[in-house]
Amino acid sequence: MRAAVVREPGGPDAIEVTEVADPSPGPGEVVVEVAAAGVNRADVMQRQGHYPPPPGEPETLGLECSGTVAELGEGVEGWSVGDEVCALLAGGGYAERVVVPAGQLLPVPRGVSLVDAAALPEVACTVWSNVFISAGLREGELLLVHGGGSGIGTFAVQLARAWGARVAVTAGSARKLDACRELGAEVLVDYTQQDFVEEVRAATDGRGADVVLDVVGAAYLERNVAVLAPNGRLVVIGMQGGRRAELDLGALLAKRAAVMATSLRARPREEKAAIVASVREHVWPLVEEGRVRPVVHERMPLGDAARAHAVLEESSHIGKVLLLARPDEAPDGADGAGTSGGALDDHDLGSTS
């Protein structure tokens, strides 16, 4: 089969699409014939040599995919050959076939194409586990999302609004802020020109944000604590702005606030399966109702993986970039640029997405 591999860390051109051995499922695993794979910032970090896969996981890039079940390993129940699925992966998605633990499979939601379903697993599991399970966002609270135009950002805005929360976002251009507004964000901050602490406080009569979803890390830590409301929760899921910063515990204590940091890729399979099951129960119905949807910036052939990484590094995209494993077999409308449905069709992260 064809797969995208990185022989030596480097720039986008370090990605090479070549022939590799077909995978075989072990007990509790399935082989998925890949239709499309999502491209995430974690893939960029891995390509650069900063984010190796967990021991025993594929070296091939790719943390999510969609496709068709092609083979079942021993002991797999609840899935059949031919089922259309999408999957959360620890690696291996940039390929024509990938092995997936059965607990990390999700059915393709009704109303979403097989290709565009590849844009969902990583963002859905990341946002649900961090914003709702860990931080406990509640109806009526305010969520501040940094990087609102990213794959994670566009999904977090929609899911929080569907849950009855208010949403503030930061982004680096008017075009991205317009997209976030269309998705339901009401407090829009251009971080190149505005201070998000001042803007969020002004929009909340000085109270601040109940939950902050942060992909920046060290560079934003002090201001993230400053923008928290009493009993606020800061969830750090990325380190684009560095990994070391000084934390004022006095400011944290005064607000009775919490700071947490999580990752998804390195969790044990049992924890991932529990998150996937919770997403299927709580998030998938909202996707099938059309209240939350994948936002796709562009769909490219697998052979253009280097270009896909360049797009992410330019940070001009809105939503997700997808790689088509077999572009000749893709359905009409799934082989070019553009977003997936709705008000964002006129528009061409982050963290992991």
Side-chain angles (χ1 to χ4, degrees):
M1 69 172 186
R2 294 166 66 243
V5 300
V6 178
R7 308 289 187 191
E8 296 289 339
D13 291 343
I15 301 174
E16 176 187 351
V17 178
T18 187
E19 293 288 330
V20 301
D22 284 356
S24 298
E29 298 177 334
V30 306
V31 173
V32 171
E33 192 88 19
V34 176
V39 180
N40 294 285
R41 288 199 180 274
D43 304 333
V44 173
M45 292 172 60
Q46 180 176 337
R47 188 206 75 222
Q48 294 170 337
H50 304 313
Y51 193 37
E57 299 294 352
E59 295 285 341
T60 306
L61 300 169
L63 300 181
E64 61 188 338
C65 73
S66 62
T68 305
V69 174
E71 190 176 350
L72 302 176
E74 179 183 350
V76 173
E77 298 179 353
W79 301 100
S80 301
V81 171
D83 286 347
E84 292 191 342
V85 297
C86 53
L88 180 70
L89 310 172
Y94 291 18
E96 293 178 330
R97 286 191 164 206
V98 64
V99 168
V100 185
Q104 292 169 218
L105 290 174
L106 287 156
V108 172
R110 290 189 302 274
V112 177
S113 72
L114 178 61
V115 165
D116 285 357
L120 290 172
E122 179 75 14
V123 295
C125 290
T126 296
V127 173
W128 179 252
S129 64
N130 285 286
V131 174
F132 293 88
I133 295 178
S134 295
L137 182 70
R138 295 183 288 272
E139 182 179 356
E141 290 190 321
L142 178 72
L143 169 67
L144 169 60
V145 181
H146 291 303
S150 67
I152 283 179
T154 54
F155 195 88
V157 171
Q158 295 178 83
L159 189 56
R161 291 294 297 127
W163 211 253
R166 302 171 62 203
V167 182
V169 298
T170 64
S173 71
R175 186 172 66 92
K176 290 186 176 185
L177 291 174
D178 286 344
C180 292
R181 180 190 293 110
E182 292 176 25
L183 292 171
E186 58 184 274
V187 182
L188 309 166
V189 182
D190 184 339
Y191 66 77
T192 68
Q193 302 180 38
Q194 298 170 296
D195 182 336
F196 68 80
V197 178
E198 294 179 359
E199 297 299 322
V200 171
R201 282 177 173 170
T204 58
D205 295 325
R207 186 173 187 278
D210 298 286
V211 176
V212 177
L213 182 63
D214 177 52
V215 298
V216 178
Y220 272 13
L221 180 60
E222 182 178 3
R223 286 191 291 158
N224 278 335
V225 171
V227 82
L228 285 176
N231 300 305
R233 292 85 76 195
L234 165 62
V235 188
V236 181
I237 61 171
M239 300 183 295
Q240 294 179 34
R243 58 188 297 170
R244 296 183 182 275
E246 186 172 284
L247 177 62
D248 184 346
L249 293 176
L252 208 61
L253 285 166
K255 295 185 175 188
R256 304 174 301 282
V259 177
M260 57 197 82
T262 75
S263 65
L264 185 59
R265 186 183 195 183
R267 290 179 187 244
R269 289 185 175 186
E270 295 78 11
E271 290 188 19
K272 290 181 185 178
I275 291 170
V276 167
S278 187
V279 164
R280 184 172 182 175
E281 178 182 359
H282 297 286
V283 179
W284 252 221
L286 298 173
V287 177
E288 294 186 336
E289 292 168 11
R291 298 171 67 188
V292 179
R293 60 183 176 82
V295 176
V296 179
H297 171 77
E298 189 171 356
R299 308 165 188 88
M300 308 180 188
L302 178 62
D304 286 351
R307 183 167 71 88
H309 275 225
V311 169
L312 254 68
E313 290 186 281
E314 292 167 0
S315 290
S316 61
H317 62 293
I318 296 173
K320 300 284 291 195
V321 175
L322 302 180
L323 293 174
L324 305 177
R326 292 178 171 83
D328 292 342
E329 300 176 12
D332 291 343
D335 57 353
T339 54
S340 175
L344 295 178
D345 280 350
D346 290 338
H347 298 290
D348 289 344
L349 185 100
S351 74
T352 57
S353 302

